[in-house]
Amino acid sequence: MNHEAGNGTAPPGSTAHIPATFVTQGRLARVRGQNILFSPSQRAIFAVNDTAAEIWRSLEEGTSPRAISAEMARAGVDGIEANRHVEAALRDWQRLSLIRPDAPPSVSAREAVSQVVAIAGLSVRIEYPAACAFPAVVVFRHLEVRRETADILFQLVEHEGRVHLFRDGDWVLSCAPDELPVMVKGQMLIEVLDRSAYELALHAAALLKNERIVLLCGNPGAGKTTLTLALVNAGFGFVSDDVTLLDS
């Protein structure tokens, strides 16, 4: 993918609403005259232009987005254009999980929706931004408990069309708003498995055919439920569309 910083897709404005610092999650290299960003987590490479490369280097040095825009303006770039360049780059890199906010911003109780859920002896407090709380809060309502304290805190922060998940203040991953329930469900599964004694864990959908059980394994969001419904329609017996089997 060729990322062109400041391609005009970002509206002019100020970077004041952007978190002060970001953590880079990629490596920038110059290969045969081309700037290349490598993402170890995605095992993907992205080509970026010189402007985007300079923005990336500044982020690596801990420079805030506002300061990056100011430096570009001092170098002769129009202030509005500088903001546009920075905002476009940050938006794209967050979407690609190449950068993440350094820490979750403080959110007032008025702006958040909170619920405590319990699963397998573990309690988790989930704090959603009000604009993104539904339908996720409904999805986990059957797990809700009335409890003031919890073992783990999930903070969900919406920024520039992405929702970031922080676990006890540490960034974990991000997703599009419509993927929020899947992301939270997947992280809760990880928490449960981390606290379980097992040699082998399988997260799978389970179906029955000719007195045999078929397990469809896959990460949350991989399509297990969709395939399960199709197989049930084709004559398979239904056991569960979300079962975790632990072998200890």
Side-chain angles (χ1 to χ4, degrees), residues 19-23 100-104 166 169-171:
T21 57
F22 283 89
V23 176
R100 62 173 176 82
D102 184 40
F166 289 84
D170 295 324
W171 185 91

Side-chain angles (χ1 to χ4, degrees), residues 32-245:
R32 295 182 179 179
Q34 175 66 63
N35 301 303
I36 300 295
L37 266 178
F38 171 61
S39 170
S41 62
Q42 300 179 65
R43 297 181 180 179
I45 60 173
F46 307 91
V48 298
N49 62 21
D50 290 340
T51 301
E54 287 302 316
I55 294 172
W56 180 272
R57 294 188 187 98
S58 296
L59 290 176
E60 286 184 320
E61 294 169 357
T63 307
S64 71
R66 182 184 293 182
I68 295 173
S69 294
E71 182 62 31
M72 292 174 66
R74 283 193 292 271
V77 180
D78 177 77
I80 292 178
E81 282 299 308
N83 281 333
R84 183 179 291 139
H85 286 315
V86 174
E87 289 181 0
L90 297 182
R91 184 184 63 251
D92 287 350
W93 291 340
Q94 285 189 88
R95 177 177 55 83
L96 295 168
S97 295
L98 287 166
I99 61 173
R100 62 173 176 82
D102 184 40
S106 58
V107 179
S108 69
R110 232 184 270 179
E111 299 172 320
V113 175
S114 178
Q115 72 177 162
V116 178
V117 301
I119 180 171
L122 179 71
S123 61
V124 180
R125 178 177 296 279
I126 309 172
E127 295 183 353
Y128 307 90
C132 303
F134 300 94
V137 70
V138 178
V139 171
F140 302 111
R141 185 151 288 164
H142 65 292
L143 299 174
E144 276 188 6
V145 293
R146 294 186 177 277
R147 191 174 298 174
E148 291 297 322
T149 60
D151 301 312
I152 300 170
L153 172 63
F154 287 176
Q155 290 171 286
L156 298 161
V157 179
E158 191 277 333
H159 176 68
E160 295 293 323
R162 300 287 293 178
V163 180
H164 296 266
L165 169 61
F166 289 84
R167 179 195 183 279
D168 291 340
D170 295 324
W171 185 91
V172 179
L173 72 166
S174 68
C175 69
D178 60 353
E179 298 170 334
L180 179 54
V182 173
M183 179 175 70
V184 173
K185 177 182 175 183
Q187 187 60 32
M188 285 199 292
L189 174 61
I190 290 172
E191 301 291 347
V192 170
L193 294 180
D194 282 346
R195 286 165 172 74
S196 302
Y198 60 89
E199 295 179 1
L200 175 66
L202 294 177
H203 179 58
L207 299 111
L208 185 66
K209 184 73 169 180
N210 298 330
E211 298 185 354
R212 292 186 176 184
I213 288 181
V214 179
L215 299 178
L216 303 177
C217 300
N219 293 327
K224 296 187 300 297
T225 300
T226 301
L227 181 56
T228 295
L229 293 174
L231 290 174
V232 168
N233 188 57
F236 280 73
F238 176 74
V239 179
S240 173
D241 71 340
D242 188 7
V243 58
T244 300
L245 305 177

